[in-house]
Amino acid sequence: LGVPLIGVTLFTGLIWAKQTFGHYWVWDVKVLLAISTWLLYVYILYLRFVRSFRGLRIMLQTFASFFFLLITFVGTRVFMLKSLIHVS
């Protein structure tokens, strides 16, 4: 349920960016990390349901994706300089 909702959120964010900034894509660290995190979770679903991976492989991929999620959520707020577009 989370992956489709994040996908919808990213898509509507692109529409909002077009209306606000005049273009869909901004090479912003937060945007790139959010889309990368979403793609990692889409890849987990692909491995699980299409390739039928189970056990240790899927567990390691899930842990790696969750670690990347933490980097996206915390790292962009703590370690990165303020973005030129988004004001925190």
Side-chain angles (χ1 to χ4, degrees):
L1 183 63
V3 173
L5 289 177
I6 292 173
V8 169
T9 303
L10 290 171
F11 179 73
T12 56
L14 292 174
I15 294 171
W16 173 81
K18 173 67 174 171
Q19 293 176 352
T20 304
F21 304 119
H23 43 75
Y24 292 105
W25 186 258
V26 178
W27 289 99
D28 185 48
V29 173
K30 292 178 182 182
V31 174
L32 292 174
L33 287 175
I35 290 174
S36 299
T37 303
W38 180 70
L39 288 174
L40 282 173
Y41 279 100
V42 168
Y43 183 64
I44 288 173
L45 291 177
Y46 167 77
L47 290 178
R48 178 87 166 111
F49 294 112
V50 175
R51 301 284 305 271
S52 298
F53 282 9
R54 305 266 191 266
L56 185 63
R57 277 185 164 174
I58 210 74
M59 181 190 72
L60 291 175
Q61 181 66 35
T62 303
F63 281 145
S65 297
F66 183 72
F67 180 70
F68 198 80
L69 175 76
L70 292 177
I71 290 172
T72 301
F73 184 71
V74 176
T76 56
R77 298 172 190 272
V78 175
F79 299 113
M80 303 292 176
L81 296 174
K82 282 196 173 187
S83 174
L84 297 175
I85 294 175
H86 301 288
V87 178
S88 298

